[in-house]
Amino acid sequence: MIVHTVADLRRARRALPGRVALVPTMGALHAGHRALVRAAKEAADHVVVSVFVNPLQFGEQADLDRYPRTLEADAAICAEEGAELVFAPSVDDVYPLPLEVSVRTGRMGEIVEGAARPGHFDGMATVVAKLFGMVRPDLAFFGQKDAQQLAIVRRLVADLNLDLEIVAVPTVREADGFALSSRNRFLSAAERVTGLALSRALFAGRDAVAGGPGSVLAAAEPVLAAAAKEDPPLLLDYLVLADPATFTPVASGHRGPAVLAVAGRVGATRLIDNLPLEF
């Protein structure tokens, strides 16, 4: 069932007994989203998938306008994977009044990906908080591919004492390692070849983990440097080895979990990827 208004959502939500899981998305669903819905279905009695392209997460109007809207196909995927309810609201339903009160993500939202996309994480956290209030889930499922988003959502739940569990689902990749993304459809064949350098750099870093953080970065950097000379080139935004809970860079003698994260632009498409590591 698809509902479009908050009132209809709340009526449908009241009819779902037991544990309810939320999978927040911006639509254009792919196999990575299928994995999220499957994981949610295994953990809960009912699954709600939200499909909403959140304008607060976009720095440029052109990028917002370009984002694919494929609700009919998205709803079919949700039905195939066993989600009972798709919530596909309009902007006016989510933001019925000019926004006065919103979520600020502070330092965590200003570093790494946040430095490249000012205001993005504030917009993300604001809509996620709204969805949590509207759906009232017991669990919410997020992809590991957006590792900094995942860290900020976990902190949102902790800082605001929200009564739900955040579950991370591993990144889904194509056979050659390319991380699935709704934006991949914009890549030409040549751009995709260049973009593959992101995952190749991450895997090179992972293979050097025994040497410590410095070795991981040293192994990943040459892969990205070579991609910068390709046609078309990779324009690197960042390569960072960070604490997965705070996204601050780890020290050279770090022991414990870390995340190797990378982002760059190929043509008009911006790509991100990461790998969790253990030292």
Side-chain angles (χ1 to χ4, degrees):
M1 178 170 61
I2 303 176
V3 296
H4 297 282
T5 70
V6 176
D8 287 343
L9 168 69
R10 287 176 172 157
R11 278 191 291 271
R13 171 64 179 87
R14 286 194 291 270
L16 300 179
R19 284 161 62 83
V20 172
L22 169 65
V23 179
T25 83
M26 290 207 299
L29 305 188
H30 50 65
H33 296 104
R34 285 183 183 271
L36 290 170
V37 178
R38 287 187 197 126
K41 189 68 176 176
E42 290 177 1
D45 299 300
H46 306 282
V47 178
V48 178
V49 178
S50 62
V51 176
F52 178 65
V53 182
N54 177 31
L56 297 190
Q57 291 176 233
F58 291 82
E60 299 178 6
Q61 183 66 38
D63 197 23
L64 172 61
D65 294 341
R66 185 175 181 238
Y67 197 88
R69 276 80 165 173
T70 58
L71 179 58
E72 184 176 348
D74 295 342
I77 287 173
C78 291
E80 289 168 9
E81 299 300 337
E84 290 92 339
L85 190 60
V86 174
F87 177 45
S90 69
V91 173
D92 288 340
D93 280 304
V94 177
Y95 302 109
L97 299 171
L99 202 61
E100 292 285 352
V101 178
S102 60
V103 176
R104 294 291 180 262
T105 53
R107 179 201 54 79
M108 285 185 71
E110 297 170 352
I111 59 176
V112 192
E113 185 70 8
R117 301 176 69 186
H120 167 74
F121 286 120
D122 288 352
M124 177 278 297
T126 296
V127 79
V128 165
K130 281 176 152 293
L131 289 168
F132 288 167
M134 289 185 279
V135 178
R136 294 180 292 109
D138 300 288
L139 310 96
F141 287 71
F142 290 83
Q144 177 63 42
K145 179 176 175 289
D146 296 292
Q148 189 170 359
Q149 171 180 276
L150 175 62
I152 289 173
V153 170
R154 290 191 189 282
R155 190 60 184 263
L156 168 73
V157 168
D159 284 353
L160 299 185
N161 298 103
L162 302 181
D163 186 20
L164 76 157
E165 178 185 352
I166 302 301
V167 182
V169 177
T171 301
V172 177
R173 300 181 179 276
E174 297 186 39
D176 59 3
F178 208 109
L180 294 185
S181 169
S182 300
R183 297 176 186 270
N184 290 356
R185 68 186 67 198
F186 298 130
L187 296 170
S188 69
E191 289 169 345
R192 190 188 181 287
V193 170
T194 298
L196 188 58
L198 270 69
S199 58
R200 289 177 51 238
L202 296 178
F203 297 147
R206 178 194 61 190
D207 292 343
V209 73
S215 296
V216 167
L217 293 171
E221 287 166 352
V223 179
L224 300 170
K229 300 175 183 177
E230 294 292 335
D231 182 20
L234 170 68
L235 304 179
L236 183 68
D237 278 343
Y238 60 79
L239 172 71
V240 64
L241 188 60
D243 183 308
T246 65
F247 253 73
T248 54
V250 301
S252 58
H254 176 77
R255 291 293 178 267
V259 59
L260 182 62
V262 64
R265 187 174 294 274
V266 183
T269 304
R270 191 166 182 279
L271 302 170
I272 66 171
D273 201 354
N274 71 84
L275 273 182
L277 302 176
E278 185 73 31
F279 291 94

